[in-house]
Amino acid sequence: MGEGDYFKHAISDFTYDVACGGAIRHKADMGDTVRKIADELDFPMPYEKVQQTVWKHFVETSVILLEEPGTGKESERYQFVKEQNKYGTTSFRRIKVTVDAGKLIDWKTKTFSAQAKDELIKQLEDKLSGNGKSGVYMSCDFGRIRYKDAGQYNEILQTLDPKQREYIEGLPWELGRCYHKLDERMTGILLCLCRQERYRGAVYFPELEECVEIV
């Protein structure tokens, strides 16, 4: 992409950000689903654009990780910075931002069968109670499952309550595995799926350096 294209892209992003971007990110941080955000925006915005804005914001704020927790890998992203010279002329500069992925962890892994749900749920609840939810992540394969087996994906959604389902359906999950921070809502989704033996993946507890794997 040439400099002229970068500038046009920067202007477009800045205009969009002024009109809607900040409001979308704020509502996402407050816990609103993509559908709720799209329905309540003052400026009409394509649903897919809202989805991408929320996803990008979650990745940039580490609500969602694209790399397994504890890898110690730094991630890079680019953003446009608005600048103004002494004559009042506005310009945009593209800069690279490095995001620290945290320390390298050698996970101590304990594996459970999804069918051993009582023992599994007790283990998760005990760890969440003792460790809190700060920095805990669950792996998510929603994008891959939706792409490979729409029937299985729909069965997973059917186990969730309407608000949980709306949240999962609203995010544009990538085909590869990603990792969502365990807030109150995602904790509820995780435990709900485990009770119905619908979750396969891993839950990471950085403070304990422990990983609970469900197969």
Side-chain angles (χ1 to χ4, degrees):
M1 186 182 294
E3 288 297 323
D5 291 331
Y6 277 129
F7 182 74
K8 290 177 183 178
H9 182 70
I11 291 292
S12 176
D13 278 357
F14 178 71
T15 302
Y16 166 73
D17 201 62
V18 169
C20 298
I24 292 172
R25 290 190 293 271
H26 174 69
K27 288 177 177 291
D29 288 339
M30 294 297 290
D32 289 353
T33 64
V34 170
R35 172 51 61 195
K36 189 171 189 292
I37 294 171
D39 289 345
E40 295 182 354
L41 282 176
D42 293 332
F43 298 89
M45 184 62 54
Y47 181 76
E48 292 76 14
K49 183 71 171 177
V50 179
Q51 282 186 303
Q52 292 301 326
T53 300
V54 171
W55 182 266
K56 180 181 178 184
H57 177 57
F58 281 174
V59 171
E60 291 180 349
T61 56
S62 297
V63 172
I64 289 175
L65 303 180
L66 303 181
E67 297 279 353
E68 184 182 43
T71 61
K73 291 183 181 179
E74 294 181 337
S75 59
E76 295 180 351
R77 60 183 173 87
Y78 291 87
Q79 67 182 34
F80 289 93
V81 177
K82 179 184 176 184
E83 297 178 334
Q84 195 171 46
N85 64 22
K86 62 182 179 179
Y87 303 107
T89 302
T90 298
S91 62
F92 291 87
R93 183 162 54 90
R94 184 173 182 258
I95 63 172
K96 182 168 68 175
V97 179
T98 301
V99 180
D100 186 3
K103 68 177 181 178
L104 179 65
I105 298 176
D106 183 15
W107 296 104
K108 300 183 287 290
T109 301
K110 188 169 185 179
T111 302
F112 289 83
S113 166
Q115 284 71 40
K117 57 185 176 183
D118 293 337
E119 183 183 2
L120 168 60
I121 290 171
K122 184 179 186 305
Q123 180 78 197
L124 291 173
E125 289 179 336
D126 287 347
K127 288 186 182 297
L128 288 169
S129 175
N131 190 43
K133 299 181 181 65
S134 176
V136 180
Y137 284 85
M138 63 178 282
S139 67
C140 297
D141 294 322
F142 298 115
R144 178 184 60 79
I145 294 171
R146 180 176 56 191
Y147 176 75
K148 296 184 72 173
D149 190 338
Q152 181 187 358
Y153 178 68
N154 190 57
E155 288 174 1
I156 289 173
L157 294 178
Q158 292 297 331
T159 68
L160 305 176
D161 69 35
K163 286 297 183 183
Q164 292 172 336
R165 176 172 181 161
E166 185 175 295
Y167 181 72
I168 295 299
E169 286 186 303
L171 293 177
W173 302 97
E174 298 186 358
L175 295 183
R177 171 170 285 191
C178 61
Y179 308 84
H180 196 301
K181 184 175 286 187
L182 273 195
D183 53 16
E184 183 175 355
R185 173 165 46 202
M186 287 303 292
T187 299
I189 289 172
L190 171 65
L191 294 177
C192 181
L193 293 177
C194 287
R195 290 189 185 100
Q196 299 298 322
E197 302 177 13
R198 288 292 181 185
Y199 182 72
R200 303 292 187 278
V203 185
Y204 301 82
F205 299 86
E207 292 183 16
L208 301 175
E209 299 191 357
E210 293 180 4
C211 171
V212 174
E213 184 179 35
I214 300 99
V215 296

